[in-house]
Amino acid sequence: MRTSAPALRPIFRSQAQAGLLACLYLHPGQEFSLTELARRVGVSVPTVHREAERLVGSRLVTETTLGRNRLLGANPSHPAAESLGRLLEVPFGPRQVVAEEFAEVPGANQVWIFGSWAARYAGETGHAPNDIDVMVIGDSIDRADLYAAGDRAQQRLDIPVNPVMRTHRQWDDPSDRLSVQVRSMPVVDVMAVGRGV
């Protein structure tokens, strides 16, 4: 299946390619299986396989075989590695960084990015995002833990991160304006990514 160029960085061939590069370049020194990359990026294993062939061929990505597993990693010795990492950080880093920082918030059952960043990630055109809005659903979340995760993500991304939370009851309440608004717009699920980190 051919995907279009991502609205966050239209210089990449596809959203899958950009997501794959972001996952690898935002975790330098780590290697991931094709299955793990597919889960983290939210695409099929065959899609990751096709993109991997191109990226390994260009030497932007390294490949190691361990038994029957094919492991991919960022190639730090590529002349474009440092620039590519910086280029990927702001437009694609939020999904990875928010996942990592909010995954361990006690009581968090669901974590999504919403707002302008999620809209650009979903392919909607518009201005570059000025911040990252994060919705956390859970019944026993400590605000201090929530804001600490937001502060860590903001420090890593160098862009404001605005966490908000809702209990399950609030989230399901049709009179809760924010919940209704968030459900009506594009969201990016980051919990699945975070739990695997």
Side-chain angles (χ1 to χ4, degrees):
M1 177 177 114
R2 184 165 175 89
T3 59
S4 60
L8 285 167
R9 280 287 187 258
I11 61 171
F12 293 102
R13 199 178 82 66
S14 67
Q15 185 81 14
Q17 181 194 60
L20 180 61
L21 282 168
C23 185
L24 296 173
Y25 274 84
L26 294 173
H27 297 92
Q30 293 184 42
E31 292 183 312
F32 301 94
S33 70
L34 299 185
T35 302
E36 174 70 4
L37 287 167
R39 187 189 63 73
R40 286 173 173 256
V41 177
V43 297
S44 69
V45 173
T47 298
V48 170
H49 177 76
R50 283 191 300 274
E51 293 297 342
E53 292 298 317
R54 292 181 185 98
L55 295 171
V56 169
S58 71
R59 296 185 27 246
L60 284 168
V61 170
T62 62
E63 176 181 42
T64 305
T65 303
L66 186 62
R68 295 177 62 179
N69 287 325
R70 184 177 179 196
L71 303 175
L72 302 180
N75 182 2
S77 65
H78 192 283
E82 186 178 341
S83 299
L84 181 59
R86 283 196 311 269
L87 183 66
L88 289 161
E89 208 165 56
V90 171
F92 298 102
R95 185 166 190 253
Q96 296 295 322
V97 170
V98 168
E100 291 166 8
E101 297 301 344
F102 285 83
E104 300 307 319
V105 171
N109 301 122
Q110 295 172 299
V111 180
W112 298 305
I113 298 175
F114 67 100
S116 60
W117 189 88
R120 298 301 88 73
Y121 191 86
E124 292 183 10
T125 57
H127 296 291
N130 296 323
D131 60 6
I132 309 297
D133 299 309
V134 180
M135 171 65 76
V136 181
I137 309 295
D139 290 328
S140 58
I141 299 169
D142 185 310
R143 287 188 187 278
D145 292 333
L146 183 75
Y147 295 138
D151 289 346
R152 290 190 307 269
Q154 180 169 313
Q155 192 164 24
R156 287 177 65 187
L157 294 167
D158 198 27
I159 187 171
V161 175
N162 309 311
V164 294
M165 66 180 187
R166 288 292 185 264
T167 64
H168 289 282
R169 178 183 234 168
Q170 289 171 315
W171 179 249
D172 294 332
D173 184 351
S175 66
D176 187 287
R177 289 184 182 178
L178 181 59
S179 297
V180 170
Q181 181 183 7
V182 170
R183 280 197 301 268
S184 71
M185 59 178 59
V187 296
V188 176
D189 183 356
V190 298
M191 185 60 86
V193 175
R195 291 297 186 220
V197 172

